[in-house]
mmCIF file of all heavy atoms in Angstrom:
data_model
loop_
_atom_site.group_PDB
_atom_site.id
_atom_site.type_symbol
_atom_site.label_atom_id
_atom_site.label_comp_id
_atom_site.label_asym_id
_atom_site.label_seq_id
_atom_site.Cartn_x
_atom_site.Cartn_y
_atom_site.Cartn_z
ATOM 1 N N GLU A 232 18.167 -14.896 -7.592
ATOM 2 C CA GLU A 232 18.420 -15.698 -6.325
ATOM 3 C C GLU A 232 19.310 -14.955 -5.324
ATOM 4 O O GLU A 232 19.555 -15.452 -4.207
ATOM 5 C CB GLU A 232 18.979 -17.065 -6.688
ATOM 6 C CG GLU A 232 18.172 -17.963 -7.540
ATOM 7 C CD GLU A 232 16.956 -18.389 -6.804
ATOM 8 O OE1 GLU A 232 17.003 -18.579 -5.607
ATOM 9 O OE2 GLU A 232 15.847 -18.433 -7.367
ATOM 10 N N THR A 233 19.866 -13.770 -5.721
ATOM 11 C CA THR A 233 20.671 -13.017 -4.914
ATOM 12 C C THR A 233 20.056 -12.515 -3.710
ATOM 13 O O THR A 233 18.941 -11.818 -3.839
ATOM 14 C CB THR A 233 21.365 -11.811 -5.600
ATOM 15 O OG1 THR A 233 21.955 -12.351 -6.774
ATOM 16 C CG2 THR A 233 22.318 -10.993 -4.782
ATOM 17 N N LYS A 234 20.395 -12.802 -2.437
ATOM 18 C CA LYS A 234 19.844 -12.443 -1.277
ATOM 19 C C LYS A 234 19.964 -10.928 -0.883
ATOM 20 O O LYS A 234 20.953 -10.246 -1.142
ATOM 21 C CB LYS A 234 20.360 -13.270 0.009
ATOM 22 C CG LYS A 234 20.085 -14.781 -0.193
ATOM 23 C CD LYS A 234 18.584 -15.079 -0.298
ATOM 24 C CE LYS A 234 18.329 -16.636 -0.415
ATOM 25 N NZ LYS A 234 16.825 -16.892 -0.479
ATOM 26 N N ILE A 235 19.008 -10.384 -0.296
ATOM 27 C CA ILE A 235 19.069 -9.165 0.382
ATOM 28 C C ILE A 235 19.738 -9.299 1.743
ATOM 29 O O ILE A 235 19.287 -10.133 2.557
ATOM 30 C CB ILE A 235 17.647 -8.473 0.588
ATOM 31 C CG1 ILE A 235 16.910 -8.287 -0.801
ATOM 32 C CG2 ILE A 235 17.776 -7.036 1.278
ATOM 33 C CD1 ILE A 235 15.537 -7.859 -0.705
ATOM 34 N N THR A 236 20.758 -8.518 2.039
ATOM 35 C CA THR A 236 21.497 -8.744 3.205
ATOM 36 C C THR A 236 20.763 -8.220 4.476
ATOM 37 O O THR A 236 19.851 -7.294 4.382
ATOM 38 C CB THR A 236 22.894 -8.081 3.245
ATOM 39 O OG1 THR A 236 22.701 -6.614 3.280
ATOM 40 C CG2 THR A 236 23.636 -8.581 2.088
ATOM 41 N N ASP A 237 21.170 -8.784 5.679
ATOM 42 C CA ASP A 237 20.452 -8.246 6.970
ATOM 43 C C ASP A 237 20.671 -6.778 7.072
ATOM 44 O O ASP A 237 19.852 -6.062 7.523
ATOM 45 C CB ASP A 237 20.963 -9.065 8.098
ATOM 46 C CG ASP A 237 20.413 -10.485 8.064
ATOM 47 O OD1 ASP A 237 19.514 -10.777 7.506
ATOM 48 O OD2 ASP A 237 21.045 -11.357 8.763
ATOM 49 N N GLU A 238 21.916 -6.301 6.704
ATOM 50 C CA GLU A 238 22.228 -4.890 6.776
ATOM 51 C C GLU A 238 21.346 -4.046 5.881
ATOM 52 O O GLU A 238 20.785 -2.973 6.248
ATOM 53 C CB GLU A 238 23.689 -4.660 6.489
ATOM 54 C CG GLU A 238 24.687 -5.279 7.463
ATOM 55 C CD GLU A 238 24.839 -6.683 7.341
ATOM 56 O OE1 GLU A 238 24.421 -7.423 6.439
ATOM 57 O OE2 GLU A 238 25.504 -7.284 8.285
ATOM 58 N N GLN A 239 21.080 -4.614 4.701
ATOM 59 C CA GLN A 239 20.146 -3.928 3.731
ATOM 60 C C GLN A 239 18.814 -3.818 4.298
ATOM 61 O O GLN A 239 18.064 -2.727 4.224
ATOM 62 C CB GLN A 239 20.238 -4.559 2.391
ATOM 63 C CG GLN A 239 21.499 -4.225 1.656
ATOM 64 C CD GLN A 239 21.642 -4.966 0.309
ATOM 65 O OE1 GLN A 239 21.123 -6.128 0.188
ATOM 66 N NE2 GLN A 239 22.084 -4.374 -0.709
ATOM 67 N N VAL A 240 18.293 -4.930 4.839
ATOM 68 C CA VAL A 240 16.854 -4.932 5.436
ATOM 69 C C VAL A 240 16.825 -3.960 6.507
ATOM 70 O O VAL A 240 15.894 -3.103 6.714
ATOM 71 C CB VAL A 240 16.586 -6.383 5.964
ATOM 72 C CG1 VAL A 240 15.205 -6.298 6.801
ATOM 73 C CG2 VAL A 240 16.577 -7.426 4.842
ATOM 74 N N GLN A 241 17.840 -3.862 7.473
ATOM 75 C CA GLN A 241 17.828 -2.989 8.497
ATOM 76 C C GLN A 241 17.741 -1.447 7.926
ATOM 77 O O GLN A 241 17.004 -0.589 8.544
ATOM 78 C CB GLN A 241 18.948 -3.121 9.417
ATOM 79 C CG GLN A 241 18.870 -2.406 10.829
ATOM 80 C CD GLN A 241 17.736 -2.897 11.517
ATOM 81 O OE1 GLN A 241 17.419 -4.010 11.785
ATOM 82 N NE2 GLN A 241 16.782 -1.758 12.042
ATOM 83 N N CYS A 242 18.539 -1.236 6.942
ATOM 84 C CA CYS A 242 18.546 0.118 6.318
ATOM 85 C C CYS A 242 17.261 0.536 5.818
ATOM 86 O O CYS A 242 16.850 1.651 5.956
ATOM 87 C CB CYS A 242 19.716 0.171 5.219
ATOM 88 S SG CYS A 242 19.797 1.759 4.411
ATOM 89 N N ILE A 243 16.605 -0.396 5.154
ATOM 90 C CA ILE A 243 15.251 -0.123 4.599
ATOM 91 C C ILE A 243 14.235 0.100 5.618
ATOM 92 O O ILE A 243 13.509 1.120 5.546
ATOM 93 C CB ILE A 243 14.811 -1.440 3.732
ATOM 94 C CG1 ILE A 243 15.624 -1.416 2.392
ATOM 95 C CG2 ILE A 243 13.236 -1.322 3.286
ATOM 96 C CD1 ILE A 243 15.509 -2.876 1.726
ATOM 97 N N VAL A 244 14.141 -0.673 6.655
ATOM 98 C CA VAL A 244 13.362 -0.401 7.768
ATOM 99 C C VAL A 244 13.579 0.907 8.475
ATOM 100 O O VAL A 244 12.649 1.555 8.791
ATOM 101 C CB VAL A 244 13.341 -1.600 8.791
ATOM 102 C CG1 VAL A 244 12.642 -1.349 10.056
ATOM 103 C CG2 VAL A 244 12.812 -2.892 8.158
ATOM 104 N N ASP A 245 14.770 1.022 8.829
ATOM 105 C CA ASP A 245 15.259 2.403 9.362
ATOM 106 C C ASP A 245 14.815 3.607 8.594
ATOM 107 O O ASP A 245 14.319 4.540 9.115
ATOM 108 C CB ASP A 245 16.725 2.541 9.639
ATOM 109 C CG ASP A 245 17.199 1.543 10.767
ATOM 110 O OD1 ASP A 245 16.376 1.007 11.545
ATOM 111 O OD2 ASP A 245 18.438 1.301 10.823
ATOM 112 N N SER A 246 14.972 3.580 7.307
ATOM 113 C CA SER A 246 14.553 4.615 6.422
ATOM 114 C C SER A 246 12.952 4.742 6.429
ATOM 115 O O SER A 246 12.407 5.911 6.496
ATOM 116 C CB SER A 246 14.929 4.233 5.033
ATOM 117 O OG SER A 246 16.342 4.374 4.906
ATOM 118 N N ALA A 247 12.225 3.684 6.420
ATOM 119 C CA ALA A 247 10.826 3.576 6.543
ATOM 120 C C ALA A 247 10.333 4.386 7.824
ATOM 121 O O ALA A 247 9.374 5.204 7.690
ATOM 122 C CB ALA A 247 10.255 2.262 6.557
ATOM 123 N N MET A 248 11.009 4.115 8.872
ATOM 124 C CA MET A 248 10.536 4.694 10.242
ATOM 125 C C MET A 248 10.958 6.123 10.288
ATOM 126 O O MET A 248 10.526 6.797 11.255
ATOM 127 C CB MET A 248 11.203 3.823 11.307
ATOM 128 C CG MET A 248 10.645 2.400 11.428
ATOM 129 S SD MET A 248 11.425 1.444 12.745
ATOM 130 C CE MET A 248 10.882 2.367 14.192
ATOM 131 N N ARG A 249 11.778 6.628 9.423
ATOM 132 C CA ARG A 249 12.037 8.166 9.437
ATOM 133 C C ARG A 249 11.112 8.853 8.556
ATOM 134 O O ARG A 249 11.200 10.187 8.546
ATOM 135 C CB ARG A 249 13.480 8.315 8.990
ATOM 136 C CG ARG A 249 14.633 7.827 9.907
ATOM 137 C CD ARG A 249 14.403 8.368 11.314
ATOM 138 N NE ARG A 249 14.356 9.820 11.399
ATOM 139 C CZ ARG A 249 13.922 10.509 12.488
ATOM 140 N NH1 ARG A 249 13.739 9.784 13.736
ATOM 141 N NH2 ARG A 249 13.920 11.738 12.515
ATOM 142 N N GLY A 250 10.140 8.347 8.048
ATOM 143 C CA GLY A 250 9.009 9.099 7.209
ATOM 144 C C GLY A 250 8.225 9.976 8.117
ATOM 145 O O GLY A 250 8.102 9.706 9.340
ATOM 146 N N ALA A 251 7.739 10.969 7.654
ATOM 147 C CA ALA A 251 6.755 11.888 8.366
ATOM 148 C C ALA A 251 5.694 11.131 8.941
ATOM 149 O O ALA A 251 5.123 10.112 8.447
ATOM 150 C CB ALA A 251 6.256 12.984 7.492
ATOM 151 N N THR A 252 5.177 11.536 10.132
ATOM 152 C CA THR A 252 4.209 10.852 10.837
ATOM 153 C C THR A 252 3.349 11.798 11.691
ATOM 154 O O THR A 252 3.891 12.793 12.349
ATOM 155 C CB THR A 252 4.732 9.765 11.792
ATOM 156 O OG1 THR A 252 3.731 9.316 12.785
ATOM 157 C CG2 THR A 252 5.945 10.265 12.598
ATOM 158 N N ALA A 253 2.036 11.724 11.683
ATOM 159 C CA ALA A 253 1.154 12.713 12.412
ATOM 160 C C ALA A 253 1.424 12.627 13.988
ATOM 161 O O ALA A 253 1.201 11.629 14.611
ATOM 162 C CB ALA A 253 -0.364 12.314 12.192
ATOM 163 N N GLY A 254 1.826 13.776 14.422
ATOM 164 C CA GLY A 254 1.996 13.884 15.922
ATOM 165 C C GLY A 254 2.954 12.963 16.436
ATOM 166 O O GLY A 254 3.133 12.700 17.623
ATOM 167 N N ASN A 255 3.913 12.438 15.683
ATOM 168 C CA ASN A 255 4.981 11.512 16.005
ATOM 169 C C ASN A 255 4.396 10.229 16.572
ATOM 170 O O ASN A 255 5.052 9.550 17.363
ATOM 171 C CB ASN A 255 5.999 12.220 17.006
ATOM 172 C CG ASN A 255 7.340 11.419 16.921
ATOM 173 O OD1 ASN A 255 7.796 10.874 15.928
ATOM 174 N ND2 ASN A 255 8.016 11.454 18.140
ATOM 175 N N MET A 256 3.108 9.919 16.209
ATOM 176 C CA MET A 256 2.571 8.681 16.844
ATOM 177 C C MET A 256 2.857 7.414 16.170
ATOM 178 O O MET A 256 2.710 6.449 16.681
ATOM 179 C CB MET A 256 0.949 8.994 16.760
ATOM 180 C CG MET A 256 0.389 10.052 17.558
ATOM 181 S SD MET A 256 -1.406 10.185 17.364
ATOM 182 C CE MET A 256 -1.951 8.718 18.122
ATOM 183 N N MET A 257 3.371 7.489 14.943
ATOM 184 C CA MET A 257 3.721 6.360 14.194
ATOM 185 C C MET A 257 2.688 5.320 14.179
ATOM 186 O O MET A 257 2.810 4.187 14.718
ATOM 187 C CB MET A 257 5.029 5.750 14.603
ATOM 188 C CG MET A 257 6.161 6.810 14.545
ATOM 189 S SD MET A 257 7.782 6.134 15.117
ATOM 190 C CE MET A 257 8.096 4.964 13.819
ATOM 191 N N ALA A 258 1.451 5.656 13.831
ATOM 192 C CA ALA A 258 0.238 4.809 13.839
ATOM 193 C C ALA A 258 0.279 3.715 12.834
ATOM 194 O O ALA A 258 -0.740 3.636 12.056
ATOM 195 C CB ALA A 258 -0.950 5.673 13.786
ATOM 196 N N TYR A 259 1.323 2.976 12.802
ATOM 197 C CA TYR A 259 1.429 1.924 11.887
ATOM 198 C C TYR A 259 2.424 0.846 12.410
ATOM 199 O O TYR A 259 3.185 1.123 13.409
ATOM 200 C CB TYR A 259 2.031 2.341 10.515
ATOM 201 C CG TYR A 259 3.380 2.948 10.499
ATOM 202 C CD1 TYR A 259 4.586 2.049 10.327
ATOM 203 C CD2 TYR A 259 3.612 4.220 10.697
ATOM 204 C CE1 TYR A 259 5.857 2.579 10.433
ATOM 205 C CE2 TYR A 259 4.948 4.799 10.706
ATOM 206 C CZ TYR A 259 5.970 3.916 10.668
ATOM 207 O OH TYR A 259 7.259 4.518 10.685
ATOM 208 N N SER A 260 2.460 -0.337 11.921
ATOM 209 C CA SER A 260 3.369 -1.307 12.205
ATOM 210 C C SER A 260 3.942 -1.958 10.897
ATOM 211 O O SER A 260 3.207 -1.924 9.916
ATOM 212 C CB SER A 260 2.837 -2.504 13.079
ATOM 213 O OG SER A 260 2.494 -2.057 14.351
ATOM 214 N N ILE A 261 5.030 -2.589 10.891
ATOM 215 C CA ILE A 261 5.792 -3.087 9.785
ATOM 216 C C ILE A 261 6.092 -4.570 10.116
ATOM 217 O O ILE A 261 6.699 -4.849 11.281
ATOM 218 C CB ILE A 261 7.114 -2.437 9.430
ATOM 219 C CG1 ILE A 261 6.820 -0.932 9.076
ATOM 220 C CG2 ILE A 261 7.689 -3.051 8.150
ATOM 221 C CD1 ILE A 261 8.175 -0.098 9.012
ATOM 222 N N ILE A 262 5.528 -5.619 9.320
ATOM 223 C CA ILE A 262 5.822 -6.940 9.501
ATOM 224 C C ILE A 262 6.826 -7.395 8.480
ATOM 225 O O ILE A 262 6.380 -7.336 7.336
ATOM 226 C CB ILE A 262 4.505 -7.734 9.603
ATOM 227 C CG1 ILE A 262 3.633 -7.295 10.654
ATOM 228 C CG2 ILE A 262 4.824 -9.218 9.766
ATOM 229 C CD1 ILE A 262 2.299 -8.063 10.769
ATOM 230 N N LYS A 263 7.939 -7.846 8.797
ATOM 231 C CA LYS A 263 8.960 -8.365 7.955
ATOM 232 C C LYS A 263 8.601 -9.799 7.591
ATOM 233 O O LYS A 263 8.485 -10.652 8.432
ATOM 234 C CB LYS A 263 10.475 -8.258 8.481
ATOM 235 C CG LYS A 263 10.828 -6.806 8.726
ATOM 236 C CD LYS A 263 12.328 -6.849 9.268
ATOM 237 C CE LYS A 263 12.471 -7.454 10.564
ATOM 238 N NZ LYS A 263 13.897 -7.493 10.983
ATOM 239 N N ILE A 264 8.684 -10.198 6.351
ATOM 240 C CA ILE A 264 8.329 -11.561 5.921
ATOM 241 C C ILE A 264 9.424 -12.089 5.102
ATOM 242 O O ILE A 264 9.717 -11.451 3.908
ATOM 243 C CB ILE A 264 6.948 -11.524 5.089
ATOM 244 C CG1 ILE A 264 5.817 -10.961 5.977
ATOM 245 C CG2 ILE A 264 6.525 -12.965 4.649
ATOM 246 C CD1 ILE A 264 4.641 -10.435 5.103
ATOM 247 N N ARG A 265 9.983 -13.159 5.545
ATOM 248 C CA ARG A 265 11.054 -13.823 4.774
ATOM 249 C C ARG A 265 10.832 -15.322 4.598
ATOM 250 O O ARG A 265 11.463 -16.052 3.799
ATOM 251 C CB ARG A 265 12.496 -13.671 5.260
ATOM 252 C CG ARG A 265 12.820 -12.072 5.456
ATOM 253 C CD ARG A 265 14.323 -11.802 5.597
ATOM 254 N NE ARG A 265 14.951 -11.876 4.187
ATOM 255 C CZ ARG A 265 16.157 -11.324 4.065
ATOM 256 N NH1 ARG A 265 16.900 -10.859 5.075
ATOM 257 N NH2 ARG A 265 16.756 -11.247 2.903
ATOM 258 N N SER A 266 9.767 -15.791 5.326
ATOM 259 C CA SER A 266 9.352 -17.118 5.254
ATOM 260 C C SER A 266 8.751 -17.468 3.821
ATOM 261 O O SER A 266 7.939 -16.872 3.420
ATOM 262 C CB SER A 266 8.301 -17.530 6.264
ATOM 263 O OG SER A 266 7.627 -18.654 5.987
ATOM 264 N N LYS A 267 9.306 -18.474 3.163
ATOM 265 C CA LYS A 267 8.939 -18.953 1.912
ATOM 266 C C LYS A 267 7.492 -19.541 1.981
ATOM 267 O O LYS A 267 6.698 -19.312 1.065
ATOM 268 C CB LYS A 267 9.834 -19.875 1.241
ATOM 269 C CG LYS A 267 10.992 -19.260 0.694
ATOM 270 C CD LYS A 267 10.723 -18.350 -0.478
ATOM 271 C CE LYS A 267 11.938 -17.698 -1.117
ATOM 272 N NZ LYS A 267 11.539 -16.658 -2.104
ATOM 273 N N GLU A 268 7.084 -20.127 3.140
ATOM 274 C CA GLU A 268 5.848 -20.652 3.383
ATOM 275 C C GLU A 268 4.773 -19.579 3.386
ATOM 276 O O GLU A 268 3.741 -19.570 2.795
ATOM 277 C CB GLU A 268 5.756 -21.466 4.647
ATOM 278 C CG GLU A 268 4.367 -22.029 4.955
ATOM 279 C CD GLU A 268 4.467 -22.781 6.322
ATOM 280 O OE1 GLU A 268 5.376 -22.913 6.946
ATOM 281 O OE2 GLU A 268 3.291 -23.253 6.680
ATOM 282 N N THR A 269 5.112 -18.336 4.122
ATOM 283 C CA THR A 269 4.229 -17.330 4.140
ATOM 284 C C THR A 269 4.096 -16.601 2.828
ATOM 285 O O THR A 269 3.034 -16.206 2.330
ATOM 286 C CB THR A 269 4.665 -16.326 5.215
ATOM 287 O OG1 THR A 269 4.730 -17.003 6.432
ATOM 288 C CG2 THR A 269 3.695 -15.095 5.271
#
Side-chain angles (χ1 to χ4, degrees):
E232 298 297 321
T233 304
K234 297 296 183 183
I235 301 171
T236 68
D237 291 341
E238 291 77 13
Q239 288 175 318
V240 175
Q241 193 59 53
C242 181
I243 292 167
V244 170
D245 288 346
S246 298
M248 292 179 64
R249 292 308 306 173
T252 168
N255 203 31
M256 292 177 69
M257 300 180 70
Y259 64 90
S260 291
I261 305 171
I262 298 177
K263 295 185 296 180
I264 305 162
R265 303 199 86 165
S266 161
K267 284 299 180 183
E268 180 182 356
T269 302

